[in-house]
Amino acid sequence: TAAAPQPEVRSLPPVQVTDEGGGAYTLSWTPTRAGAFLLHAHVRAQPGAHAGGTDAPTVPGAPHSAPAWSPLAVNVSAGPPYPPRCRVVPAAPTTLLATAVAGRRESVRLICHDRFGNRVRGG
């Protein structure tokens, strides 16, 4: 029988592809950069999977096609605050040094990033 087509993975973070059988695959990765991204998936046929049983090369550049849902919009948010990457700064952006007066309510700003350096927003 002809071999089932396999998904081709080209990305910056390592992607693990798990064959669930029946033509279904799970793609798992650990993003490190927050932001809006487009996930593009392409399926490249394996040798013997083409009509008539002809073999096709399985090297990069081999014929492939995109699934109907590709590209898929993916929004990656920052992880939880990572204390070594958080800092306290003066509340007034025009001062370089936080000053306080005894008996008077004062403020400073806490700016947090996750362990990958992404700015943590809200909460």
Side-chain angles (χ1 to χ4, degrees), residues 4-7 17-27 43 69:
Q6 298 288 317
V17 179
T18 303
D19 187 344
E20 296 180 9
Y25 301 88
T26 298
L27 292 93
V43 177
W69 55 264

Side-chain angles (χ1 to χ4, degrees), residues 15-45:
V15 175
Q16 178 181 350
V17 179
T18 303
D19 187 344
E20 296 180 9
Y25 301 88
T26 298
L27 292 93
S28 304
W29 74 101
T30 303
T32 57
R33 202 171 113 212
F37 301 92
L38 291 177
L39 173 65
H40 294 264
H42 297 274
V43 177
R44 182 178 56 209

Side-chain angles (χ1 to χ4, degrees), residues 2 6 9-10 25 28 41 44 50 65 83 85 95 100 110 114:
Q6 298 288 317
V9 177
R10 286 186 291 161
Y25 301 88
S28 304
R44 182 178 56 209
H50 292 279
S65 61
R85 291 196 176 246
T95 63
L110 176 62
D114 66 12

Side-chain angles (χ1 to χ4, degrees), residues 61-105:
H64 62 270
S65 61
W69 55 264
S70 182
L72 175 68
V74 177
N75 188 32
V76 178
S77 58
Y82 182 63
R85 291 196 176 246
C86 298
R87 66 183 198 270
V88 177
V89 298
T94 57
T95 63
L96 298 177
L97 179 64
T99 59
V101 175
R104 187 170 76 188
R105 184 174 187 85

